[in-house]
Amino acid sequence: MDFLTDSQIKELWDKVLKDITEHISSIQLYKQDDTFLGETCTVQTTFEGGYNATLFLCADTALFTRLAQCVLQSETVSQQDVEDFAKEYFNIICGHIVAKIFQAAHVSSRFSIPDFCTGRIIPEDKGKIRFVLNYKSNCNEGIQLIHQNSALEKSNA
């Protein structure tokens, strides 16, 4: 199979995001129709190659903090720890997605090093948003994945 549908891509992202989160922290994510986020942070990356997309992962700062505390096994984490963890967390998730897409569609891609910012970044051109996945954690913290400009095809390069 050379192409994946939006539905298949959503399923991949959903499974990887929930599985990785639970594996590293025992925090469970539950799909929601909409997610209200409080104080947030955003990590973002761009995929290139056979799979082209820009991804934004917005989450309550409290969730990124709790994930960092779980991984670092410390109640006390700095803002820099949270930022570093959020980028690495997204990096791991994106790496699994690249592998899953290659396995499913034999399409190779790469992604850039994730960027981090405080606040919620929303894509400027909302018309190019392919889908949004919303979750709440088992402690009612919100997390949202915004998938923009997806085109899954074999690269001619």
Side-chain angles (χ1 to χ4, degrees):
M1 177 179 205
D2 293 336
F3 299 91
L4 294 176
T5 66
D6 279 357
S7 177
Q8 290 169 316
I9 294 169
K10 282 166 89 169
E11 285 178 36
L12 283 174
W13 278 106
D14 178 60
K15 181 164 179 35
V16 168
L17 186 62
K18 290 193 294 191
D19 288 353
I20 295 296
T21 303
E22 187 169 1
H23 178 75
I24 65 172
S25 67
S26 298
I27 294 172
Q28 295 181 343
L29 299 178
Y30 302 96
K31 262 186 142 173
Q32 302 288 307
D33 289 332
D34 196 14
T35 297
F36 178 77
L37 301 170
E39 181 183 328
T40 60
C41 298
T42 302
V43 285
Q44 166 189 345
T45 193
T46 301
F47 286 77
E48 296 176 339
Y51 175 68
N52 298 295
T54 300
L55 278 293
F56 302 85
L57 185 66
C58 307
D60 284 331
T61 304
L63 178 60
F64 278 148
T65 300
R66 194 157 63 103
L67 286 164
Q69 289 169 330
C70 287
V71 170
L72 297 174
Q73 298 179 349
S74 173
E75 285 296 314
T76 306
V77 293
S78 69
Q79 177 60 31
Q80 188 63 51
D81 291 334
V82 173
E83 179 178 335
D84 291 344
F85 172 78
K87 290 190 290 189
E88 186 57 28
Y89 169 67
F90 200 41
N91 197 44
I92 291 166
I93 290 168
C94 291
H96 278 78
I97 288 295
V98 166
K100 296 275 187 195
I101 288 173
F102 184 78
Q103 290 170 353
H106 305 290
V107 172
S108 62
S109 297
R110 62 193 170 282
F111 58 94
S112 59
I113 297 170
D115 291 320
F116 176 91
C117 70
T118 301
R120 182 168 183 247
I121 301 297
I122 301 171
E124 290 180 23
D125 187 350
K126 292 184 182 180
K128 292 184 180 179
I129 293 176
R130 199 63 147 211
F131 60 82
V132 177
L133 298 175
N134 296 296
Y135 303 89
K136 285 284 186 183
S137 73
N138 49 347
C139 287
N140 211 31
E141 299 141 330
I143 187 167
Q144 179 179 63
L145 177 79
I146 301 169
H147 189 283
Q148 180 181 351
N149 294 337
S150 175
L152 185 56
E153 60 191 6
K154 285 194 172 186
S155 175
N156 294 328

